[in-house]
Amino acid sequence: MSDLLLLGLIGGLTLLLLLTLLAFAGYSGLLAEVAVSAGSPPIRNVTMAYKFHRGPYGETGRLFTESCSVSPKLRSIAIYYDKPHVVPPEKCRCVVGSILSEGEESPSPELIHLYQKFGFKVFSFPAPSHVVTATFPHTTPLSIWLAARRVHPALDTYIKERKLCAHPRLEIYQQDQIHFMCPLARQGDFYVPEVKETDRRGRELVETSNAHVEGTGVEGAEGMSDTSSVSLEVSPGSRETSAATLSPGVSSRGWDDGDTRSEHSYSESGASGSSFEELDLDGEGPLGPTAGP
């Protein structure tokens, strides 16, 4: 009889543990609806302190810790420039940091000096007129893991189905929510100098390779084709790049033949560059919010 009682106690504790884990996962956002829409941005123009990272996105945790350690009360922000499931992990680029000020407010010189003391740089970007956006609960550390696996696929699907030019990808961490934002206009304003420098080097390498190909003839062109396609980095484009300026008649990757953007960047999603006029920015009708998987 005591053995049965012991087994029953173990079973009850196991069931209680499973229910607790399920409740924790639900509270973290496991069952939260992921609604993606196009409209106004969740933030205004921003000044941020950041550190540039090139490598696996999974290694950025220390940067979040560093930025929060400098000023725990500030909101964290991250900007991702490359698709982690396409670009080799060691070549993925992003920035992580803290929002120093938003809107008309200017950051205090003391705050800027404090972040610069710990190796952070300062960067500002405006509020775009239109963005693709989504939110996810930020209640526990598990929320971040769940958001990465639920929100990003939903954003990819929304952008691909509507053939939008939406990049790069921003994450803004509020107290109880994570805001995801992909600008549909002025994308170049969101590219920090380090990313633009890698783009410049990539273009120079491609131009050098093309010049060498022209000098070596057809055989040389065949031999250099693979190298050129691999070495090309994503370009942020002009500071006035807009989905409205791209016509539906461009290539399958959404760029003109002469464009130097990489098909591996988040900007690949602009397959035909739908204009703002084609979007239902009020979230109604056939182009309204999309629930994530």
Side-chain angles (χ1 to χ4, degrees):
M1 193 69 179
S2 60
D3 291 341
L4 292 177
L5 182 60
L6 181 60
L7 289 176
L9 181 60
I10 293 174
L13 291 175
T14 302
L15 180 60
L16 182 61
L17 177 61
L18 290 176
L19 291 175
T20 301
L21 291 175
L22 287 175
F24 178 76
Y27 179 69
S28 301
L30 178 64
L31 303 178
E33 179 184 4
V34 179
V36 182
S37 62
S40 301
I43 57 175
R44 293 172 291 173
N45 48 300
V46 161
T47 297
M48 61 180 287
Y50 75 93
K51 283 190 175 181
F52 174 74
H53 174 77
R54 183 165 188 169
Y57 288 156
E59 297 178 354
T60 58
R62 61 178 180 81
L63 297 181
F64 282 101
T65 302
E66 287 184 35
S67 62
C68 289
S69 298
V70 178
S71 184
K73 294 183 179 180
L74 296 181
R75 291 169 293 171
S76 296
I77 184 172
I79 307 178
Y80 301 96
Y81 298 102
D82 300 296
K83 289 185 175 181
H85 57 283
V86 178
V87 176
E90 65 275 8
K91 293 186 178 182
C92 287
R93 300 164 300 168
C94 68
V95 295
V96 175
S98 299
I99 296 178
L100 303 181
S101 66
E102 181 183 355
E104 300 301 324
E105 178 188 2
S106 299
S108 67
E110 294 80 7
L111 188 60
I112 293 177
H113 178 72
L114 179 61
Y115 271 92
Q116 289 177 335
K117 177 182 176 181
F118 289 95
F120 286 82
K121 297 182 179 181
V122 178
F123 181 73
S124 298
F125 59 82
S129 56
H130 299 86
V131 298
V132 175
T133 184
T135 60
F136 196 81
H138 185 209
T139 52
T140 71
L142 180 61
S143 300
I144 301 173
W145 187 87
L146 291 172
R149 284 150 183 80
R150 297 195 59 208
V151 179
H152 287 293
L155 288 171
D156 290 338
T157 300
Y158 185 95
I159 292 170
K160 183 177 181 180
E161 287 180 350
R162 290 155 180 79
K163 300 179 179 180
L164 300 175
C165 174
H167 65 93
R169 191 157 295 183
L170 287 78
E171 295 178 359
I172 301 99
Y173 291 81
Q174 306 278 20
Q175 289 184 347
D176 57 353
Q177 280 190 327
I178 305 174
H179 290 276
F180 295 80
M181 184 178 88
C182 306
L184 288 166
R186 302 186 66 177
Q187 290 96 336
D189 289 334
F190 295 84
Y191 283 73
V192 297
E194 291 88 343
V195 176
K196 292 183 178 181
E197 177 63 19
T198 59
D199 295 336
R200 184 187 63 81
R201 292 177 182 176
R203 287 192 296 270
E204 289 178 352
L205 181 59
V206 171
E207 291 171 359
T208 302
S209 299
N210 290 340
H212 179 70
V213 167
E214 291 176 359
T216 55
V218 177
E219 291 185 6
E222 294 176 352
M224 290 297 295
S225 60
D226 293 338
T227 303
S228 299
S229 63
V230 172
S231 62
L232 191 59
E233 294 282 0
V234 56
S235 170
S238 69
R239 295 179 66 85
E240 297 298 330
T241 301
S242 169
T245 64
L246 298 178
S247 64
V250 295
S251 66
S252 60
R253 291 204 303 270
W255 312 116
D256 294 333
D257 293 340
D259 202 304
T260 58
R261 292 178 177 84
S262 168
E263 67 272 22
H264 303 324
S265 72
Y266 275 121
S267 59
E268 176 194 8
S269 55
S272 65
S274 299
S275 66
F276 295 148
E277 289 77 7
E278 296 172 356
L279 290 173
D280 181 359
L281 299 178
D282 293 327
E284 299 176 353
L287 295 182
T290 299

